[in-house]
Amino acid sequence: MIPVAERAQGDPMSEIFDRFNTKLRPADLAEPLFYEHDYALRFELGGEDVSTEYPIRRFIQAHARAVRIAEAVFAKSARVWLLTCDYGGEKPRKKHLKPFGEIGIRKRHFDYLGAVKCAGDPDLCDEITHCHWHAKDIWDRRHLDEALWLTLGAELGVRPTFQGPLYVVDFDRNIVLFPYDDRGMDLVALERAPLERVYHAHSEWLLEWNREEIDAVFQG
């Protein structure tokens, strides 16, 4: 689980949430997103019908599904943000954001939001003391498609790739899309309405393991 600390007044990351007049808070990015929200969808991307023995075929399907879902949920969004986090020492790593250069987004284009102290976490090694957060607003939807490419291919060895969590956020509509790898993707919101259309349009891609609890929310 990504550690999300309570932020003091004036903290850069809290301020970026505040300036959008959104109900989303940093804690809403705590993993696993699906189980942390009342209104959530969990999609199967690669699917059991495409084995990892065929990584290119599996990746193509995963990316195509993710793009279709993203297009559906953000069709009415005026602005979408990419949020990333990276575990490391007290200072952020210089090359963490380098893969985004492949899609025309340079490190200098990202806003540095601040860091969460995570020293003492038993799941992390002693050298990892902070989690650093960056954000970039994207106007060109091609950047969203390409960002999904960067994050979905990591486990399959598809290059270029971005190592680390990537969240796609609409602060105005309180929606978060989290593609965790070729296996699946979570889509959460603070209200039911923004997810209803996506649920009905792409219900065949819902992860079967969670389908019963998803149906209970969106069929009622």
Side-chain angles (χ1 to χ4, degrees), residues 40-41 43 69 72 187 192-206 211-220:
L41 303 174
F43 293 98
I69 293 166
L187 175 61
R192 171 176 159 167
L195 304 189
E196 287 181 330
R197 180 173 177 271
V198 182
Y199 165 77
H200 291 292
H202 300 295
S203 61
E204 73 276 14
W205 296 341
L206 292 173
R211 181 178 293 275
E212 184 175 350
E213 55 193 304
I214 294 172
D215 289 343
V217 174
F218 290 94
Q219 287 186 357

Side-chain angles (χ1 to χ4, degrees), residues 90-195:
E90 187 173 352
K91 295 183 178 180
R93 294 186 301 165
K94 293 182 179 180
K95 295 184 178 181
H96 169 60
L97 300 172
K98 185 177 180 180
F100 288 97
E102 300 284 350
I103 64 174
I105 302 177
R106 309 300 178 187
K107 178 182 177 181
R108 66 179 182 273
H109 297 149
F110 282 85
D111 293 328
Y112 179 61
L113 308 182
V116 177
K117 290 184 179 181
C118 52
D121 190 322
D123 295 328
L124 302 175
C125 67
D126 293 339
E127 289 78 15
I128 295 177
T129 59
H130 291 74
C131 181
H132 299 272
W133 290 85
H134 294 80
K136 173 70 177 75
D137 59 330
I138 52 175
W139 296 88
D140 190 334
R141 293 306 169 87
R142 290 174 297 183
H143 281 158
L144 176 53
D145 296 354
E146 293 165 344
L148 290 172
W149 172 292
L150 289 177
T151 191
L152 291 176
E155 295 297 321
L156 293 173
V158 176
R159 298 292 183 267
T161 189
F162 172 72
Q163 297 288 343
L166 178 70
Y167 304 89
V168 186
V169 184
D170 180 335
F171 286 103
D172 296 325
R173 300 170 64 215
N174 305 313
I175 302 171
V176 181
L177 183 72
F178 175 47
Y180 42 89
D181 56 36
D182 61 283
R183 293 170 300 167
M185 180 169 68
D186 287 349
L187 175 61
V188 304
L190 298 188
E191 298 177 352
R192 171 176 159 167
L195 304 189

Side-chain angles (χ1 to χ4, degrees), residues 41-84:
L41 303 174
R42 172 162 280 188
F43 293 98
E44 189 172 35
L45 297 180
E48 295 182 0
D49 57 322
V50 183
S51 169
T52 55
E53 294 181 3
Y54 303 95
I56 301 301
R57 187 183 307 172
R58 181 176 174 88
F59 172 77
I60 289 172
Q61 174 172 294
H63 183 256
R65 288 185 177 185
V67 168
R68 289 274 302 278
I69 293 166
E71 288 176 346
V73 73
F74 296 123
K76 297 182 179 180
S77 296
R79 181 182 294 188
V80 176
W81 286 77
L82 300 178
L83 294 183
T84 77

